[in-house]
Amino acid sequence: MADYEKIKEASSKHPKPADKTFQYGTAGFRMKANLLNSVVYRVGLLAALRSRKLNGQTIGVMITASHNPPEDNGVKLVDPMGEMLEASWEPYATELANAQSEDELVKIYEKLTEDVKAKPGAPARVIYARDTRASGSTLVACLKDALDATGTEYTDYKHLTTPQLHYLVRCVNTKGTQYEYGEVSEQGYYKKIAAAFKQAMKHKKTTGPVTVDCANGVGGPKLVELKKHLPGASEGGVDIKVVNDDVLKPEALNSQCGADFVKTQQRAPPSSKISSGDRCASLDGDADRIVYYFADKDNTFRLLDGDRIATLAASFLADLGRASGLAEQLKIGVVQTAYANGASTQYVEKNLKLPILCTNTGVKHLHHAAQRFDIGVYFEANGHGTVLFSPAALKAIANYEPQSPAQKNALETLRAVTELINQTVGDALSDLLLVEVILAHKGWTCQEWLNTYVDLPNRLVRVEVKDRNIFQAVDAERKLEKPEGAQKDIETEIAKYTKGRSFARASGTEDAVRVYAEASTRGEADDLAARVSAVVRRYGGVA
Ligand code: NG1
Ligand code: ZN
């Protein structure tokens, strides 16, 4: 039961920095770690309230700043099925975080408790974990203070990847039900995906090793642990070479390595000596993103990003659907954002003949849209994504009686893949194994994967303006509704280019407007991006 005096007292140990305003955004709260004590304390209060509201279902709290620099940290909440916090609760987090005094904080908390109709006597349960940042332990202490003050039962899972915590939350809440998701432990996570991987790789072989850059983050030690459960290359598995897994040097985190570096710099981490043909992948700091890459025969760097993983997964699942005789029951769809390369969109529609939905940026939007399909494949171009199977699809896959040995084979692989893929959130470790399974089944090298379509040259530019909030986007952020006239001017520029496509939107995570442009040649894409950026500056004023 919440004791408001206790909450007030504990809160006074974690005062809010007076001049700061916080906002729970797409990635929860994220900023310099030394500003986060009060925020994490208050997120702890909210986690307790959310659990009480849901009659003691377990809520997750993850302390991480993903691909941000080592001095940053962040915190986000995980809902009972392992999904991101319900959007309608985000403003509550923001409101609590911005309360100026202890009195105001408690007043807001009391009012929220009434508004959401949480039973004050209901149990509250929370599990939490953190990435490898040095600031993590201080922030965990703030969180614990909130959980103690609110009489919450909790378990500290220490260091985990973000998707591992999402997995555990779902496991706890489904335990003993017909929807049981897995054993409630870190080992349970490895066992589940390793068993699924083994099954999916039956009679298949990968060609050559895959080198995985772990951004010197929590994904490193976790991948090393996962490897212990996987068959090696000689036993029909895959040879995984782990690099950049130094978590003892805090300053090395996400520095010159990791998925974000590779995607934004369009090059391999300088520390990786990659030779022509080597298959490589990079995770981000909390292992919920992955991108692949390789050097082609001319030693040119080639990126296989989230769009590529989505198209690869969609094509594989469509093949399995057909081969197992379940194509009719399994309607596959792909969900992208406006940042997906136009060539990938065209490939899905024209070649794979699958439907596409485009949503706003931010994985929660993609996740929800993906639930509209029997099998919903969603990835952001930056490498965050997964595949969701609807309850009806899972039932069909579980119950179908194969009519031939070929159908039986495909069905077994399909079943394994449903277990391999993390259903809660994009998971770099699970996605890594999924890509390896698919490449083994197709017998493809990275070059063959790349050959499926040719990306349109593109450019992403960050434009700083006086107030990014005047830029209001509509139509899945592909058009600007405000400021008036801006969209028309952008379209005038687009019309000058072959296969030109461009849009501008206010970033949700940085104080800037992002401009994306693609066109038929590198020069044209750069040009178009520059011209649209000029439009944005003209309307937004130089910062
Ligand atoms: P913003 O800053 O809203 O563009 C960025 C990424 C998103 C997503 C979020 C959350 C791009 C263009 N945008 O959002 O894809 O990952 O951060 O981390 O990469
Ligand atoms: Zn991340």
mmCIF file of all heavy atoms in Angstrom, residues 16-46:
data_model
loop_
_atom_site.group_PDB
_atom_site.id
_atom_site.type_symbol
_atom_site.label_atom_id
_atom_site.label_comp_id
_atom_site.label_asym_id
_atom_site.label_seq_id
_atom_site.Cartn_x
_atom_site.Cartn_y
_atom_site.Cartn_z
ATOM 1 N N LYS A 16 14.581 17.154 -7.868
ATOM 2 C CA LYS A 16 14.569 17.403 -9.310
ATOM 3 C C LYS A 16 15.479 18.586 -9.639
ATOM 4 O O LYS A 16 15.406 19.612 -8.968
ATOM 5 C CB LYS A 16 13.138 17.742 -9.742
ATOM 6 C CG LYS A 16 13.046 18.179 -11.176
ATOM 7 C CD LYS A 16 11.626 18.552 -11.553
ATOM 8 C CE LYS A 16 11.581 19.113 -12.957
ATOM 9 N NZ LYS A 16 12.248 20.412 -13.100
ATOM 10 N N PRO A 17 16.336 18.473 -10.666
ATOM 11 C CA PRO A 17 17.119 19.638 -11.088
ATOM 12 C C PRO A 17 16.138 20.743 -11.494
ATOM 13 O O PRO A 17 15.280 20.530 -12.353
ATOM 14 C CB PRO A 17 17.900 19.135 -12.302
ATOM 15 C CG PRO A 17 17.781 17.644 -12.277
ATOM 16 C CD PRO A 17 16.557 17.300 -11.513
ATOM 17 N N ALA A 18 16.255 21.910 -10.839
ATOM 18 C CA ALA A 18 15.214 22.935 -10.937
ATOM 19 C C ALA A 18 14.934 23.410 -12.362
ATOM 20 O O ALA A 18 13.792 23.601 -12.750
ATOM 21 C CB ALA A 18 15.614 24.118 -10.072
ATOM 22 N N ASP A 19 15.994 23.561 -13.157
ATOM 23 C CA ASP A 19 15.792 24.194 -14.457
ATOM 24 C C ASP A 19 15.524 23.203 -15.588
ATOM 25 O O ASP A 19 15.559 23.560 -16.748
ATOM 26 C CB ASP A 19 17.052 25.005 -14.784
ATOM 27 C CG ASP A 19 18.303 24.141 -14.653
ATOM 28 O OD1 ASP A 19 18.210 23.060 -14.025
ATOM 29 O OD2 ASP A 19 19.365 24.520 -15.184
ATOM 30 N N LYS A 20 15.227 21.965 -15.245
ATOM 31 C CA LYS A 20 15.079 20.949 -16.307
ATOM 32 C C LYS A 20 13.619 20.578 -16.533
ATOM 33 O O LYS A 20 12.840 20.466 -15.588
ATOM 34 C CB LYS A 20 15.824 19.674 -15.903
ATOM 35 C CG LYS A 20 17.302 19.755 -16.136
ATOM 36 C CD LYS A 20 17.632 19.425 -17.581
ATOM 37 C CE LYS A 20 18.887 20.139 -18.003
ATOM 38 N NZ LYS A 20 19.003 20.329 -19.435
ATOM 39 N N THR A 21 13.268 20.378 -17.793
ATOM 40 C CA THR A 21 11.951 19.830 -18.112
ATOM 41 C C THR A 21 12.189 18.496 -18.801
ATOM 42 O O THR A 21 13.042 18.390 -19.682
ATOM 43 C CB THR A 21 11.188 20.766 -19.076
ATOM 44 O OG1 THR A 21 11.327 22.088 -18.592
ATOM 45 C CG2 THR A 21 9.719 20.396 -19.141
ATOM 46 N N PHE A 22 11.453 17.497 -18.348
ATOM 47 C CA PHE A 22 11.665 16.149 -18.882
ATOM 48 C C PHE A 22 10.473 15.712 -19.726
ATOM 49 O O PHE A 22 9.344 16.124 -19.481
ATOM 50 C CB PHE A 22 11.841 15.158 -17.727
ATOM 51 C CG PHE A 22 12.978 15.497 -16.810
ATOM 52 C CD1 PHE A 22 12.730 15.961 -15.527
ATOM 53 C CD2 PHE A 22 14.287 15.375 -17.235
ATOM 54 C CE1 PHE A 22 13.777 16.278 -14.669
ATOM 55 C CE2 PHE A 22 15.347 15.693 -16.383
ATOM 56 C CZ PHE A 22 15.089 16.137 -15.107
ATOM 57 N N GLN A 23 10.756 14.847 -20.696
ATOM 58 C CA GLN A 23 9.646 14.301 -21.475
ATOM 59 C C GLN A 23 9.850 12.823 -21.762
ATOM 60 O O GLN A 23 10.909 12.420 -22.249
ATOM 61 C CB GLN A 23 9.486 15.061 -22.788
ATOM 62 C CG GLN A 23 8.139 14.752 -23.394
ATOM 63 C CD GLN A 23 7.928 15.397 -24.746
ATOM 64 O OE1 GLN A 23 8.722 16.225 -25.183
ATOM 65 N NE2 GLN A 23 6.866 14.993 -25.421
ATOM 66 N N TYR A 24 8.823 12.016 -21.430
ATOM 67 C CA TYR A 24 8.881 10.592 -21.738
ATOM 68 C C TYR A 24 8.597 10.459 -23.226
ATOM 69 O O TYR A 24 7.486 10.646 -23.687
ATOM 70 C CB TYR A 24 7.833 9.828 -20.916
ATOM 71 C CG TYR A 24 8.042 8.319 -20.907
ATOM 72 C CD1 TYR A 24 8.676 7.693 -19.831
ATOM 73 C CD2 TYR A 24 7.603 7.522 -21.959
ATOM 74 C CE1 TYR A 24 8.881 6.316 -19.818
ATOM 75 C CE2 TYR A 24 7.803 6.151 -21.958
ATOM 76 C CZ TYR A 24 8.435 5.555 -20.880
ATOM 77 O OH TYR A 24 8.628 4.187 -20.866
ATOM 78 N N GLY A 25 9.614 10.175 -23.999
ATOM 79 C CA GLY A 25 9.468 10.115 -25.463
ATOM 80 C C GLY A 25 9.495 8.694 -25.977
ATOM 81 O O GLY A 25 9.291 7.747 -25.206
ATOM 82 N N THR A 26 9.773 8.538 -27.270
ATOM 83 C CA THR A 26 9.799 7.204 -27.902
ATOM 84 C C THR A 26 10.740 6.248 -27.183
ATOM 85 O O THR A 26 10.515 5.044 -27.167
ATOM 86 C CB THR A 26 10.313 7.264 -29.364
ATOM 87 O OG1 THR A 26 11.069 8.460 -29.538
ATOM 88 C CG2 THR A 26 9.207 7.216 -30.348
ATOM 89 N N ALA A 27 11.806 6.803 -26.604
ATOM 90 C CA ALA A 27 12.784 5.922 -25.955
ATOM 91 C C ALA A 27 12.742 6.098 -24.439
ATOM 92 O O ALA A 27 13.743 5.910 -23.763
ATOM 93 C CB ALA A 27 14.162 6.241 -26.504
ATOM 94 N N GLY A 28 11.593 6.469 -23.896
ATOM 95 C CA GLY A 28 11.497 6.725 -22.459
ATOM 96 C C GLY A 28 12.171 8.055 -22.150
ATOM 97 O O GLY A 28 12.124 8.984 -22.953
ATOM 98 N N PHE A 29 12.830 8.151 -20.991
ATOM 99 C CA PHE A 29 13.623 9.343 -20.672
ATOM 100 C C PHE A 29 15.068 9.020 -21.001
ATOM 101 O O PHE A 29 15.557 7.937 -20.670
ATOM 102 C CB PHE A 29 13.544 9.665 -19.178
ATOM 103 C CG PHE A 29 12.169 10.086 -18.707
ATOM 104 C CD1 PHE A 29 11.390 9.228 -17.946
ATOM 105 C CD2 PHE A 29 11.674 11.344 -19.015
ATOM 106 C CE1 PHE A 29 10.133 9.615 -17.493
ATOM 107 C CE2 PHE A 29 10.417 11.741 -18.557
ATOM 108 C CZ PHE A 29 9.645 10.874 -17.794
ATOM 109 N N ARG A 30 15.747 9.977 -21.634
ATOM 110 C CA ARG A 30 17.153 9.719 -21.952
ATOM 111 C C ARG A 30 17.936 11.021 -21.943
ATOM 112 O O ARG A 30 17.505 11.987 -22.575
ATOM 113 C CB ARG A 30 17.252 9.074 -23.340
ATOM 114 C CG ARG A 30 18.550 8.358 -23.565
ATOM 115 C CD ARG A 30 18.603 7.801 -24.953
ATOM 116 N NE ARG A 30 17.787 6.614 -25.134
ATOM 117 C CZ ARG A 30 17.756 5.937 -26.279
ATOM 118 N NH1 ARG A 30 18.466 6.332 -27.310
ATOM 119 N NH2 ARG A 30 17.016 4.858 -26.386
ATOM 120 N N MET A 31 19.034 11.077 -21.224
ATOM 121 C CA MET A 31 19.851 12.304 -21.162
ATOM 122 C C MET A 31 21.148 12.035 -20.400
ATOM 123 O O MET A 31 21.441 10.873 -20.101
ATOM 124 C CB MET A 31 19.056 13.414 -20.488
ATOM 125 C CG MET A 31 18.819 13.173 -19.019
ATOM 126 S SD MET A 31 17.356 14.019 -18.441
ATOM 127 C CE MET A 31 16.072 13.013 -19.162
ATOM 128 N N LYS A 32 21.871 13.105 -20.039
ATOM 129 C CA LYS A 32 23.079 12.942 -19.231
ATOM 130 C C LYS A 32 22.688 12.238 -17.938
ATOM 131 O O LYS A 32 21.731 12.620 -17.269
ATOM 132 C CB LYS A 32 23.689 14.306 -18.898
ATOM 133 C CG LYS A 32 24.244 15.022 -20.108
ATOM 134 C CD LYS A 32 25.661 14.565 -20.434
ATOM 135 C CE LYS A 32 26.088 14.947 -21.827
ATOM 136 N NZ LYS A 32 25.467 14.181 -22.937
ATOM 137 N N ALA A 33 23.455 11.230 -17.563
ATOM 138 C CA ALA A 33 23.074 10.383 -16.432
ATOM 139 C C ALA A 33 22.929 11.160 -15.128
ATOM 140 O O ALA A 33 22.064 10.856 -14.308
ATOM 141 C CB ALA A 33 24.104 9.269 -16.261
ATOM 142 N N ASN A 34 23.767 12.213 -14.949
ATOM 143 C CA ASN A 34 23.720 12.922 -13.668
ATOM 144 C C ASN A 34 22.452 13.755 -13.474
ATOM 145 O O ASN A 34 22.244 14.326 -12.420
ATOM 146 C CB ASN A 34 24.988 13.774 -13.470
ATOM 147 C CG ASN A 34 25.167 14.765 -14.592
ATOM 148 O OD1 ASN A 34 24.274 14.941 -15.423
ATOM 149 N ND2 ASN A 34 26.312 15.425 -14.635
ATOM 150 N N LEU A 35 21.602 13.811 -14.491
ATOM 151 C CA LEU A 35 20.336 14.540 -14.353
ATOM 152 C C LEU A 35 19.167 13.606 -14.064
ATOM 153 O O LEU A 35 18.032 14.033 -13.931
ATOM 154 C CB LEU A 35 20.046 15.303 -15.653
ATOM 155 C CG LEU A 35 21.030 16.407 -16.015
ATOM 156 C CD1 LEU A 35 20.766 16.911 -17.422
ATOM 157 C CD2 LEU A 35 20.917 17.541 -15.001
ATOM 158 N N LEU A 36 19.465 12.313 -13.976
ATOM 159 C CA LEU A 36 18.373 11.336 -14.013
ATOM 160 C C LEU A 36 17.887 10.799 -12.673
ATOM 161 O O LEU A 36 16.890 10.067 -12.643
ATOM 162 C CB LEU A 36 18.797 10.147 -14.890
ATOM 163 C CG LEU A 36 18.484 10.273 -16.382
ATOM 164 C CD1 LEU A 36 19.181 9.151 -17.136
ATOM 165 C CD2 LEU A 36 16.991 10.209 -16.648
ATOM 166 N N ASN A 37 18.563 11.116 -11.563
ATOM 167 C CA ASN A 37 18.175 10.496 -10.289
ATOM 168 C C ASN A 37 16.690 10.675 -9.973
ATOM 169 O O ASN A 37 15.977 9.710 -9.679
ATOM 170 C CB ASN A 37 18.999 11.073 -9.130
ATOM 171 C CG ASN A 37 20.439 10.606 -9.192
ATOM 172 O OD1 ASN A 37 20.856 10.005 -10.180
ATOM 173 N ND2 ASN A 37 21.202 10.873 -8.153
ATOM 174 N N SER A 38 16.224 11.918 -10.029
ATOM 175 C CA SER A 38 14.823 12.177 -9.676
ATOM 176 C C SER A 38 13.895 11.497 -10.684
ATOM 177 O O SER A 38 12.842 10.970 -10.326
ATOM 178 C CB SER A 38 14.555 13.674 -9.627
ATOM 179 O OG SER A 38 14.736 14.246 -10.909
ATOM 180 N N VAL A 39 14.310 11.508 -11.937
ATOM 181 C CA VAL A 39 13.477 10.914 -12.983
ATOM 182 C C VAL A 39 13.288 9.413 -12.727
ATOM 183 O O VAL A 39 12.178 8.893 -12.780
ATOM 184 C CB VAL A 39 14.126 11.145 -14.373
ATOM 185 C CG1 VAL A 39 13.377 10.379 -15.451
ATOM 186 C CG2 VAL A 39 14.166 12.622 -14.704
ATOM 187 N N VAL A 40 14.392 8.731 -12.423
ATOM 188 C CA VAL A 40 14.301 7.282 -12.213
ATOM 189 C C VAL A 40 13.474 6.974 -10.956
ATOM 190 O O VAL A 40 12.653 6.053 -10.951
ATOM 191 C CB VAL A 40 15.701 6.640 -12.139
ATOM 192 C CG1 VAL A 40 15.608 5.179 -11.729
ATOM 193 C CG2 VAL A 40 16.402 6.753 -13.478
ATOM 194 N N TYR A 41 13.676 7.776 -9.911
ATOM 195 C CA TYR A 41 12.869 7.596 -8.699
ATOM 196 C C TYR A 41 11.374 7.672 -9.046
ATOM 197 O O TYR A 41 10.580 6.823 -8.655
ATOM 198 C CB TYR A 41 13.235 8.668 -7.662
ATOM 199 C CG TYR A 41 12.357 8.609 -6.440
ATOM 200 C CD1 TYR A 41 12.573 7.651 -5.449
ATOM 201 C CD2 TYR A 41 11.277 9.488 -6.302
ATOM 202 C CE1 TYR A 41 11.742 7.580 -4.335
ATOM 203 C CE2 TYR A 41 10.442 9.419 -5.195
ATOM 204 C CZ TYR A 41 10.680 8.458 -4.212
ATOM 205 O OH TYR A 41 9.843 8.378 -3.129
ATOM 206 N N ARG A 42 11.015 8.667 -9.824
ATOM 207 C CA ARG A 42 9.611 8.892 -10.149
ATOM 208 C C ARG A 42 9.068 7.841 -11.127
ATOM 209 O O ARG A 42 7.898 7.475 -11.070
ATOM 210 C CB ARG A 42 9.435 10.319 -10.668
ATOM 211 C CG ARG A 42 9.709 11.323 -9.541
ATOM 212 C CD ARG A 42 10.106 12.677 -10.054
ATOM 213 N NE ARG A 42 10.524 13.550 -8.947
ATOM 214 C CZ ARG A 42 10.253 14.845 -8.902
ATOM 215 N NH1 ARG A 42 9.571 15.411 -9.879
ATOM 216 N NH2 ARG A 42 10.669 15.574 -7.890
ATOM 217 N N VAL A 43 9.936 7.366 -12.006
ATOM 218 C CA VAL A 43 9.528 6.267 -12.892
ATOM 219 C C VAL A 43 9.226 5.029 -12.038
ATOM 220 O O VAL A 43 8.292 4.272 -12.312
ATOM 221 C CB VAL A 43 10.617 5.966 -13.947
ATOM 222 C CG1 VAL A 43 10.383 4.623 -14.632
ATOM 223 C CG2 VAL A 43 10.660 7.066 -14.991
ATOM 224 N N GLY A 44 10.000 4.853 -10.972
ATOM 225 C CA GLY A 44 9.740 3.752 -10.036
ATOM 226 C C GLY A 44 8.359 3.878 -9.414
ATOM 227 O O GLY A 44 7.619 2.892 -9.291
ATOM 228 N N LEU A 45 7.993 5.106 -9.046
ATOM 229 C CA LEU A 45 6.649 5.329 -8.491
ATOM 230 C C LEU A 45 5.579 4.933 -9.505
ATOM 231 O O LEU A 45 4.580 4.287 -9.175
ATOM 232 C CB LEU A 45 6.450 6.806 -8.118
ATOM 233 C CG LEU A 45 7.362 7.429 -7.060
ATOM 234 C CD1 LEU A 45 6.961 8.888 -6.818
ATOM 235 C CD2 LEU A 45 7.320 6.652 -5.747
ATOM 236 N N LEU A 46 5.825 5.351 -10.743
ATOM 237 C CA LEU A 46 4.828 5.069 -11.780
ATOM 238 C C LEU A 46 4.738 3.569 -12.065
ATOM 239 O O LEU A 46 3.641 3.036 -12.287
ATOM 240 C CB LEU A 46 5.160 5.835 -13.067
ATOM 241 C CG LEU A 46 4.036 5.794 -14.110
ATOM 242 C CD1 LEU A 46 2.805 6.546 -13.611
ATOM 243 C CD2 LEU A 46 4.473 6.378 -15.441
#
